[in-house]
């Protein structure tokens, strides 16, 4: 088959498209790398961890910095996620809250308990939405409040779902004792996270607040990434209901992940 100007042009266009996709994929890989390193990375550290040529990393970082997606901080030139990332994240979070509100309401009606929606932010769980139970005795956390990851159900659920490298960065060396029931050693926490990975459900048995217990699950979808749904209750209503709470949460998780599609990339 003879080679024509048209076929050469089409091949060149395909190569350009393929190259553009590869650049986007590499830029996304750099952003995920910086997400897992809140203190920032130097260009040399990015090169070492990502396995690309120094010139390629330099071009990618320069382009991302120009778009506000990364920024350079400190005298050593450590790269961190830039100011455009929180703005994008806020938009995604607003969409997530709107999307998930009906599921939270269904779960709250079913269990007659408060249902929380939370996300992982700055090494803590931050509550971003809540459906409050119509009961005189109920558990309520303020939207916008942050809890330590190691001692609450949504925090442990999110920790259990993290990749190993991100998990080590997220768990502090010193685990504060919020109550006499809090897990305060890393080995004990890691043992519990192993259980959560097997069962899919995390429990807080008065580990954050005396008198309040909770169950929670991590959810991941292609629409807005990772979050956690949890059901906090007075301990007197929690004891003996653990399996019912777990079953209801897992069913809600399956519905959400089926309706919005599975995650296709790493956290």
């Amino acid at each position: 088959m003879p080679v024509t100007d048209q076929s050469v042009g089409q091949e060149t266009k395909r190569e350009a498209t393929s190259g553009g996709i590869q650049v986007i994929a590499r830029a996304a890989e750099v952003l995920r790398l910086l997400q897992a390193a809140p203190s920032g990375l130097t260009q040399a550290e990015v090169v070492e961890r990502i396995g690309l040529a120094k010139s390629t990393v330099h071009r990618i970082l320069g382009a991302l910095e120009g778009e506000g997606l990364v920024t350079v901080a400190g005298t050593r030139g450590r790269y961190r996620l830039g100011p455009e990332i929180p703005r994008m994240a806020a938009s995604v979070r607003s969409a997530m809250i709107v999307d998930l509100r009906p599921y939270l309401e269904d779960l709250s009606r079913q269990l007659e308990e408060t249902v929380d929606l939370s996300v992982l932010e700055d090494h803590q769980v931050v509550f971003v939405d809540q459906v409050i139970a119509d009961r005189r005795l109920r558990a309520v956390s303020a939207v916008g409040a942050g809890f330590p990851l190691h001692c609450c159900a949504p925090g442990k659920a999110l920790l259990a779902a993290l990749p190993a490298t991100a998990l080590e960065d997220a768990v502090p060396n010193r685990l504060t004792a919020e109550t006499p029931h809090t897990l305060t050693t890393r080995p004990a926490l890691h043992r519990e996270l192993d259980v959560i990975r097997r069962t899919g459900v995390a429990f807080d048995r008065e580990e954050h607040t005396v008198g309040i217990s909770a169950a929670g699950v991590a959810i991941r979808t292609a629409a807005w990434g990772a979050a956690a749904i949890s059901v906090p209750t007075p301990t007197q209503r929690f004891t003996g209901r653990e399996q019912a709470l777990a079953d209801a949460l897992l069913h809600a998780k399956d519905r959400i992940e089926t309706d919005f599609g599975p995650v296709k990339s790493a956290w």
Side-chain angles (χ1 to χ4, degrees):
M1 180 178 178
V3 176
T4 65
D5 290 343
Q6 183 178 4
S7 63
V8 171
Q10 289 173 342
E11 183 63 28
T12 302
K13 185 176 181 180
R14 282 195 294 269
E15 289 176 357
T17 301
S18 176
I21 291 171
Q22 188 177 49
V23 168
I24 292 170
R26 287 173 172 175
E29 191 176 358
V30 170
L31 291 173
R32 285 195 292 269
L33 188 64
L34 295 177
Q35 179 189 21
S39 60
L41 296 171
T42 65
Q43 179 176 298
E45 288 170 331
V46 174
V47 169
E48 179 183 355
R49 297 189 188 192
I50 211 165
L52 294 174
K54 181 179 178 180
S55 59
T56 300
V57 170
H58 179 76
R59 287 196 301 272
I60 291 172
L61 288 172
L64 291 173
E65 184 182 5
E67 296 296 331
L69 297 172
V70 305
T71 187
V72 186
T75 56
R76 291 187 61 199
R78 301 186 75 82
Y79 286 87
R80 297 176 178 173
L81 294 181
E84 282 302 311
I85 297 294
R87 296 187 187 106
M88 293 178 179
S91 177
V92 172
R93 182 173 298 178
S94 296
M96 177 183 68
I97 291 169
V98 170
D99 287 342
L100 289 186
R101 185 72 182 189
Y103 299 88
L104 304 187
E105 292 172 344
D106 285 349
L107 190 58
S108 181
R109 280 193 296 269
Q110 175 188 346
L111 295 173
E112 298 184 298
E113 299 290 356
T114 295
V115 177
D116 292 325
L117 175 65
S118 53
V119 296
L120 180 62
E121 184 177 289
D122 295 331
H123 297 275
Q124 61 181 349
V125 157
V126 174
F127 295 92
V128 296
D129 198 15
Q130 182 178 76
V131 176
I132 299 175
D134 186 18
R135 285 176 177 260
R136 294 183 65 183
L137 180 62
R138 59 197 181 189
V140 178
S141 301
V143 171
F147 283 11
L149 292 166
H150 68 283
C151 61
C152 64
K156 289 191 285 186
L158 288 167
L159 284 175
L162 285 175
T165 53
L167 173 61
E168 289 307 309
D169 185 63
V171 177
N173 291 324
R174 182 174 176 272
L175 305 181
T176 57
E178 302 292 326
T179 77
H181 307 288
T182 306
L183 298 176
T184 56
T185 67
R186 289 170 67 97
L189 177 62
H190 281 294
R191 285 194 295 271
E192 180 152 348
L193 295 180
D194 286 338
V195 174
I196 296 167
R197 292 185 192 101
R198 292 197 301 270
T199 63
V201 182
F203 292 106
D204 161 11
R205 295 178 171 88
E206 298 191 335
E207 295 164 53
H208 182 268
T209 304
V210 172
I212 301 295
S213 297
V217 295
I219 53 175
R220 299 177 64 198
T221 76
W224 22 250
I229 293 176
S230 55
V231 179
T233 76
T235 298
Q236 64 193 65
R237 288 206 302 269
F238 176 87
T239 304
R241 292 181 69 202
E242 291 94 334
Q243 191 59 54
L245 294 172
D247 290 344
L249 281 162
L250 289 171
H251 179 66
K253 170 186 170 76
D254 288 344
R255 284 181 60 207
I256 292 166
E257 292 182 349
T258 297
D259 289 350
F260 291 96
V263 163
K264 297 178 181 179
S265 61
W267 288 23

